[in-house]
Structures are given as C-alpha cells and as structure tokens.
Amino acid sequence: MNDLWDLIVIGGGASGMMAAVTAAKKPDRRILILERNDKLGRKLLQTGNGRCNLTNFKMDSGCYCRENAGFAMQVIRDFDEKAVTDFFFEAGLLLHNRQGYVYPYSDQAASVNDVFHLLIRKWNVSVSYETVVERIIKTDCFHIKTNKGDFCAHKLILAAGGAAYPKTGSDGSGYRLAEAFGHHIVTPLPALTALFGDIKGQKKIAGVRCDGVVTLMADGVLLGRQRGEIQMTDYGISGIPVFQISRYAVQTLAKGETVVCEIDFLPDYDEKLISEMMFHRFEETNFTAEECLSGLLHKKLTALFLWKAGIAAEKKAAKITRELLLALANTIKHFSFTVTGYKDFSFGQVCQGGVSVLELSPSTMESKLVKDLYICGELADVDGICGGYNLQWAWSSGHQAGKAVWND
C-alpha cells in the first residue's frame, strides 16, 4: 500500500482531526489520517471528565507555560477562541458558555468527536485505523513505514500527541519520529498533575476538600501560586489549583532540586486577625484546644494544625500560651511540607516538553528543519493550565498547519 497521498496526518486526536478537515477544504486533495487506535479522538472523549471544555474566553499568555507563551499566543491569535466557537457552531455543535468556559451544550465530549467524524466524511478524508508508524524517510516525498504497509505523501503533519494518558495511544512515539528528522525534544514531563507530599498524618485527612492558596517554592524562589479548591489525599495534594502550578514543581524535582509547598487555609483572613480570633476563642478556659477550634475549619484539618503547632488536642485552653496560639495561627496560614514527587504520565492530564518551538514557524507550524513537515498539538512544547486552554492550543495549531500545507 504505497500509493501517493497529497497529505498524510499522523494522529487522529484533536489537533490531527482539526488539521485534516481544515486542509481538506482545498478541493481535489487526497488526505489520509493514520490512527494507531481503533477510533479517532480517544483522548478527546476523556477531556473535562467527559464533558470537553472546548476553549475559554479568558485567553491570555498567562494561561500557557511561561517559556513558550509568546509562541502559543502567536498561533492562537490566528485562530482564536471566537474562531473556534464559530467553527463548531457552523459545524452544527451547540455550545454553552459558563463564565468564559465553553462546553458543548450536550455536556458530552462525544458530541465534539461526532462532529469531527461528520466533517471527515463530508470532506472525504480517509482514515487508516490501528496503524502504527514505525519509520519515516524523506526523499522527494515522505515514505512512511507502518504495521499495515507503506504510505507516501507530498506533505506530512505530525499530530501524534505527547506522553500523557498513554492508554489513549499517547505513548510518546511522536517524539521519536520528530527526533529522527533532527528536531530537539525538550524533556517530556507530566503537567496538570497531583503532587506527593511529606505530610504527617496525611491518611487521616484524605478526602478533605477546602478553599485555599497553594504556593510552591524552591530555594526561596517562587515557582507558582494559585487559589481554589484543594483536595487533600493519602499521598499529598490534588485539585485544580495544584494542577495549575504542578508543572513547575515537576520541572524542579526533575532537576533534583527541593520543592516546598505552602498552603494558606484561610486566605480571606490575615494572620493578625486569626491570631486575635485564637486569643478570643481560647479565653474559654474550660474547653479543650480541639473544642476551641470548632466550626473554624474541617475537623480533620484542625487536628492536624494543632499537632503541627505543638498543641495536644485534649489540652485545656487555660494551659495554652499566647506563643503557641501564634504558632497555631501561623500554621493555618503557612502550612508547609516538602513535595516528594508527582503523579506520572498515566495521571497527568497533559504533557510539558516536546518538539522545541524554536524549530517551528508560528504562522504555519511548519518545521524549520524539514520542508513540508508540520508539527502541531501536544507534540510541540506548549502546555496550558486547566480550563480549555490545551484544547484551544490543539485547535489553533492544527488549524494553522492544515491551512498552511497548500501555501506553496
């Protein structure tokens, strides 16, 4: 099977499908998607817990990794959040805007996938399923060796995904293909993932959810800070604010450096006010320390704070010094522990690292090293925070590549 195609797209995920249907609008072009799974968009079906947060109307460079935010925004400006919503609406997908977070009205990722299947049929894009690419050789065209025979194409788009959620087919094989063309691969690491922590008694607080501010530090340098609902786990911490800044902890730990996490469990109150509250509460001398903290925070957390501040839960309030109460207030506002690790690619929602964007053109996503080779989606070294930003990158970069392939 070595007939010549005008364009082959390797990878039928979000960016690959967008690239294919965009390129297919040029008439009389033969386009083929090579997909290693038995269906398209397997990872897309899992995004947003199956609800698929398509994009976000609060779009700025701060939503993407600091190193490559400028590159990401250059690409996104050419096919922005408004263009994305217009694209899906015109394709027949009704959308729901929830304070800037855009979802399909059905609240089902399957609806988004179904739309792409219809567009692929409409524009006569061919798909070869369960096709694993083994090697690519570039001569006068691209010769692609697979488990299902050889394919050839004038143009090639690599949209094979990163390494996150390998059970969906994102096994990192795209990095090997890009590297074979001479591309530099920034070390792939998990992002949007949970963190392990050395927290005394963490199994007792597992499952507790609370509002707070998470701060990550390394050698006194701020790595990141986010507020939101934190989930305490039996291994450390999870939740959206943790995911948002986890990439910086992962990067730092991968370099062998120490990361310290600090949580402010009462971000709406300053430490002085909390100290005064403690003095007032502990005036009830007949109560125990634990009783004095009733109603302040989750009961499982208060037991942990007392222990960390060096106060026995059953100790009578009358015997607790002001110094210990100041230590208690400080503990609540600055609860700190060492980050010992992170959830791996099996759990990380996206992957940081990938093909260096210095080797890609933001106006076309074409390789600066190999003519007619385009790289898009998670395979490139761009990752965003939670909230539809990673799918926006997939749509924008895929559209950019699909639009550019015929601009000779």
Side-chain angles (χ1 to χ4, degrees):
M1 191 184 297
N2 57 7
D3 53 324
L4 186 61
W5 296 81
D6 293 303
L7 169 66
I8 287 179
V9 179
I10 297 178
S15 64
M17 290 191 291
M18 176 62 82
V21 299
T22 302
K25 293 179 182 179
K26 183 83 169 181
D28 304 319
R29 302 296 168 106
R30 298 180 68 237
I31 298 172
L32 171 67
I33 297 174
L34 301 181
E35 170 55 47
R36 68 183 298 125
N37 291 311
D38 59 357
K39 62 181 69 173
L40 297 171
R42 278 192 64 182
K43 189 172 180 180
L44 180 63
L45 290 170
Q46 296 188 16
T47 58
N49 292 320
R51 296 168 58 213
C52 196
N53 185 182
L54 285 167
T55 185
N56 200 306
F57 279 111
K58 299 172 183 177
M59 188 72 57
D60 60 58
S61 60
C63 301
Y64 293 90
C65 56
R66 297 166 188 163
E67 299 92 332
N68 300 322
F71 181 93
M73 292 310 295
Q74 277 185 271
V75 177
I76 289 168
R77 274 194 290 270
D78 285 344
F79 192 68
D80 63 11
E81 60 275 22
K82 176 64 165 56
V84 166
T85 55
D86 288 346
F87 169 87
F88 283 112
F89 187 77
E90 289 167 10
L93 185 71
L94 294 179
L95 303 174
H96 188 55
N97 182 347
R98 295 183 178 135
Q99 297 180 315
Y101 296 77
V102 181
Y103 293 85
Y105 211 88
S106 66
D107 261 348
Q108 291 184 304
S111 298
V112 183
N113 213 28
D114 289 346
V115 163
F116 271 113
H117 278 76
L118 292 174
L119 291 174
I120 284 166
R121 286 171 54 193
K122 174 181 177 180
W123 297 107
N124 297 313
V125 175
S126 299
V127 183
S128 178
Y129 293 101
E130 299 181 308
T131 305
V132 179
V133 176
E134 298 165 351
R135 188 157 56 101
I136 307 171
I137 300 170
K138 172 86 187 302
T139 56
D140 55 329
C141 62
F142 292 93
H143 299 268
I144 305 167
K145 298 185 70 65
T146 80
N147 63 322
K148 290 195 171 182
D150 296 348
F151 299 83
C152 298
H154 290 299
K155 310 268 188 173
L156 178 65
I157 295 178
L158 282 180
Y165 280 163
K167 64 183 179 182
T168 64
S170 297
D171 62 352
S173 59
Y175 301 134
R176 174 178 52 80
L177 298 175
E179 197 169 30
F181 284 113
H183 280 283
H184 171 64
I185 308 299
V186 178
T187 303
L189 294 167
L192 301 187
T193 192
L195 300 176
F196 296 128
D198 184 15
I199 306 172
K200 184 77 171 180
Q202 57 197 31
K203 291 188 176 181
K204 294 180 180 179
I205 58 172
V208 173
R209 295 174 182 266
C210 55
D211 180 55
V213 173
V214 182
T215 301
L216 297 176
M217 305 285 292
D219 197 22
V221 177
L222 176 67
L223 298 178
R225 177 179 287 126
Q226 282 285 323
R227 178 173 179 170
E229 187 181 70
I230 304 163
Q231 181 180 351
M232 311 304 292
T233 70
D234 59 0
Y235 56 79
I237 53 173
S238 185
I240 298 298
V242 178
F243 291 165
Q244 304 291 47
I245 56 176
S246 61
R247 75 180 314 276
Y248 304 111
V250 173
Q251 276 184 346
T252 306
L253 290 169
K255 291 187 288 187
E257 299 175 16
T258 300
V259 176
V260 174
C261 178
E262 182 178 284
I263 302 177
D264 180 353
F265 284 96
L266 285 175
D268 291 327
Y269 302 90
D270 64 32
E271 193 169 337
K272 182 180 177 182
L273 181 61
I274 295 171
S275 298
E276 291 172 353
M277 185 187 304
M278 293 299 153
F279 299 152
H280 176 70
R281 282 175 173 247
F282 279 76
E283 286 176 351
E284 301 292 341
T285 56
N286 290 326
F287 293 165
T288 65
E290 185 176 39
E291 290 170 336
C292 286
L293 293 181
S294 296
L296 184 64
L297 284 162
H298 196 289
K299 192 170 184 178
K300 289 183 179 179
L301 287 177
T302 59
L304 181 63
F305 296 148
L306 287 169
W307 171 84
K308 188 113 177 177
I311 303 171
E314 68 279 2
K315 191 170 184 176
K316 292 294 184 179
K319 296 182 179 181
I320 300 172
T321 65
R322 289 176 69 88
E323 287 73 23
L324 283 175
L325 295 180
L326 288 172
L328 179 58
N330 183 265
T331 297
I332 294 171
K333 291 292 288 182
H334 307 281
F335 185 88
S336 64
F337 58 91
T338 301
V339 178
T340 56
Y342 47 85
K343 289 275 190 175
D344 63 17
F345 285 123
S346 300
F347 298 91
Q349 294 183 21
V350 297
C351 179
Q352 59 177 303
V355 176
S356 170
V357 299
L358 297 176
E359 300 166 355
L360 303 175
S361 167
S363 61
T364 63
M365 299 307 295
E366 185 174 15
S367 165
K368 293 180 180 179
L369 309 183
V370 182
K371 182 174 171 52
D372 298 326
L373 172 66
Y374 303 79
I375 295 173
C376 61
E378 198 175 350
L379 190 54
D381 182 21
V382 171
D383 60 283
I385 61 174
C386 298
Y389 298 103
N390 288 290
L391 273 181
Q392 175 67 50
W393 167 249
W395 310 137
S396 296
S397 60
H399 184 271
Q400 201 84 316
K403 180 182 67 172
V405 288
W406 313 129
N407 293 340
D408 295 322

